[in-house]
Amino acid sequence: CESLNFDIAEMWLRTGPKTHQLTNSHVRPTALDESVRIQLVDVYYGERSAERTHRLSPALCKRAKEAGDVVWVTAHTLHGAEALKCSISDVRTAVAVPVCHGGSGVNVTIIY
């Protein structure tokens, strides 16, 4: 997160042909102002965090797997802005990096 100057990082494990599971998340609160930091910490770690439905991240996982490459979405384009609207935390840029470990067959996608 910090080296790439992103505020949020997520790791999604591919659990089936069309399914992913959020296995880890990291919020870099020092880069954010207080109100945004409180909101993000609540989204990822609050009492109701398990009830939230992630729509953007699984879609990015799918797109990165299909492309076999990094997917970068920014609010500076019409399609990107529309896609980012379904984020649970009002992000303006998202980057999905697919990673496959050939020996074990484990597929994950890291999203910033």
Side-chain angles (χ1 to χ4, degrees):
C1 247
E2 194 168 334
S3 62
L4 296 173
N5 202 27
F6 283 104
D7 301 322
I8 306 166
E10 301 173 343
M11 185 170 78
W12 289 79
L13 175 65
R14 186 165 188 80
T15 55
K18 295 183 178 185
T19 57
H20 294 84
Q21 177 184 359
L22 179 63
T23 60
N24 200 339
S25 60
H26 175 74
V27 177
R28 186 173 64 109
T30 56
L32 307 169
D33 69 44
E34 187 66 22
S35 62
V36 175
R37 178 170 41 142
I38 290 169
Q39 178 188 11
L40 282 177
V41 168
D42 182 56
V43 164
Y44 283 93
Y45 310 112
E47 289 180 22
R48 298 186 57 200
S49 62
E51 299 170 20
R52 300 192 193 286
T53 300
H54 291 264
R55 294 184 323 192
L56 176 64
S57 296
L60 288 172
C61 290
K62 179 183 176 192
R63 181 72 180 105
K65 182 192 179 301
E66 289 171 351
D69 204 351
V70 173
V71 173
W72 189 294
V73 180
T74 177
H76 295 294
T77 67
L78 181 62
H79 294 296
E82 191 65 31
L84 293 173
K85 281 184 183 177
C86 68
S87 164
I88 62 172
S89 56
D90 190 32
V91 296
R92 303 277 161 57
T93 300
V95 179
V97 182
V99 179
C100 179
H101 183 267
S104 66
V106 173
N107 289 292
V108 297
T109 303
I110 310 299
I111 299 180
Y112 299 98

